[in-house]
Amino acid sequence: MISRSEGEIDDALIGGNASAEVLDEGCESTMVSGVDIVLNHKLQETSYDKKSYTAYIKDYMKAVKAKLQETSPERVEPFMANAPAEVKKILGNIKNFQFFTGESMNPDGSIGLLDFREDGVTPFMLFFKDGLEIEKCVSVYGLCVTAKDSSSTFMLS
């Protein structure tokens, strides 16, 4: 969990020089708290119960399988062999998860599942790897992974 200020602009970063004669009220800033991956990628919370998630995941797995058949045929068999076991684990623990979708709220896109480790403080997210398009980028924190919706499960902590 992180807390950060939003809406605050540092005039020094854009060559500003505050006048001693005119008091500038500046911008209104707000404090936002949450899980960094949710805030950084502007994920939107959504909700599922066991029945609705089961319906969603069946359609999603078909879409991922079709996409894999055209882009990575060698991944189809491992995906279809391993994904059902992961879905079963998810459904068995569904009450513990918070569900997040991308900023576009695409109903056919990937859903990230947020849960917390045993300490109750450390968050982690589950995604189906084969349903993501991995994009490497330079970040202060190391490797940056961007989900673009395209599945073995992997976690981002």
Side-chain angles (χ1 to χ4, degrees):
M1 298 291 272
I2 62 168
S3 293
R4 64 179 173 211
S5 182
E6 287 189 347
E8 198 170 277
I9 299 173
D10 183 0
D11 287 338
L13 295 175
I14 56 174
N17 188 6
S19 170
E21 298 170 2
V22 180
L23 289 176
D24 182 19
E25 293 180 11
C27 296
E28 198 173 305
S29 66
T30 58
M31 194 62 119
V32 179
S33 296
V35 177
D36 56 353
I37 190 172
V38 172
L39 297 175
N40 293 343
H41 296 281
K42 299 178 183 165
L43 300 179
Q44 304 297 311
E45 189 166 7
T46 186
S47 63
Y48 284 95
D49 59 14
K50 197 171 193 172
K51 184 178 177 181
S52 61
Y53 186 76
T54 302
Y56 157 78
I57 202 66
K58 283 182 182 179
D59 290 340
Y60 182 70
M61 287 179 59
K62 286 178 190 172
V64 170
K65 181 181 176 184
K67 183 72 173 176
L68 286 175
Q69 286 173 329
E70 66 183 56
T71 60
S72 302
E74 73 283 356
R75 287 292 311 146
V76 174
E77 190 177 321
F79 171 70
M80 294 309 291
N82 297 323
E86 294 300 321
V87 170
K88 188 174 181 179
K89 286 182 200 174
I90 290 168
L91 291 173
N93 200 23
I94 200 153
K95 292 188 188 296
N96 290 345
F97 289 111
Q98 287 176 270
F99 301 91
F100 289 89
T101 185
E103 188 176 20
S104 68
M105 304 277 299
N106 178 357
D108 299 325
S110 182
I111 298 292
L113 292 89
L114 175 74
D115 196 2
F116 290 84
R117 302 244 183 255
E118 291 76 26
D119 64 8
V121 177
T122 309
F124 67 93
M125 290 194 81
L126 299 175
F127 296 88
F128 282 94
K129 179 177 81 174
D130 290 317
L132 300 177
E133 194 173 299
I134 305 298
E135 182 178 287
K136 293 181 182 180
C137 63
V138 178
S139 169
V140 218
Y141 304 109
L143 180 65
C144 171
V145 178
T146 304
K148 287 193 174 182
D149 297 333
S150 250
S151 247
S152 315
T153 303
F154 82 100
M155 293 183 273
L156 290 176
S157 296

